[in-house]
Amino acid sequence: TALPADAVDRAMLAAAAQLLGAGERLLEDSVAYAKQRAQYGRLIGSYQAIKHQLAEVRIALDFARPLVYGAALGEAPVSAAKLSASEAAYHASRVALQVHGAIGYTAELHLGLWLIRVPALVSAWGTPSYHRTRLAELLASA
């Protein structure tokens, strides 16, 4: 039997909220690591390239948050929330892996768990392509 549309939207919203939280955790861990890891006599967080990558993640998460909150209140399309949270969290996972380097794959850190969870949540309850199509249809009918 098919699930009611409302139940599917709630599942999409839950996945979006989890992605937003995962992205925040990845960013928090990456910033903390960049503040304590030294390379070539300098903290890696002092390098402009690292700062820019972390700032891009911060911006992506800050753009996704109001969409997730808006979808929870029924004021924004759930697909917009899922799409933006998916892209922000996936970007956060890629940057976190670059900031941490190979140590991100070790059992010492939980980064490896997030690197598995985020892609699974990105494709759960509709891939980004599905949500783009859904949003295009919504805009076309408006």
Side-chain angles (χ1 to χ4, degrees):
T1 63
L3 292 173
D6 184 47
V8 173
D9 279 351
R10 286 175 188 248
M12 289 176 192
L13 180 58
Q18 288 180 38
L19 283 161
L20 185 60
E24 289 289 349
R25 175 61 188 266
L26 285 161
L27 179 60
E28 180 183 318
D29 289 352
S30 297
V31 168
Y33 184 75
K35 287 180 177 179
Q36 61 96 22
R37 171 76 167 106
Q39 188 70 35
Y40 304 114
R42 289 175 56 186
L43 294 175
I44 65 169
S46 70
Y47 290 104
Q48 194 169 10
I50 300 291
K51 289 179 185 179
H52 282 212
Q53 287 185 330
L54 294 171
E56 286 176 3
V57 171
R58 173 79 276 146
I59 290 167
L61 292 168
D62 285 349
F63 275 107
R65 183 176 299 102
L67 286 171
V68 173
Y69 290 170
L73 296 172
E75 297 171 359
V78 175
S79 284
K82 175 68 165 60
L83 180 61
S84 64
S86 293
E87 290 179 347
Y90 187 75
H91 185 58
S93 70
R94 304 318 305 161
V95 168
L97 183 58
Q98 285 189 328
V99 169
H100 284 84
I103 197 168
Y105 285 113
T106 65
E108 285 180 53
L109 301 177
H110 296 291
L111 181 62
L113 298 173
W114 293 111
L115 294 176
I116 293 168
R117 180 172 288 171
V118 167
L121 285 169
V122 165
S123 61
W125 299 104
T127 63
S129 176
Y130 168 79
H131 289 287
R132 280 188 189 89
T133 302
R134 194 171 181 220
L135 283 170
E137 291 170 355
L138 182 66
L139 290 172
S141 68

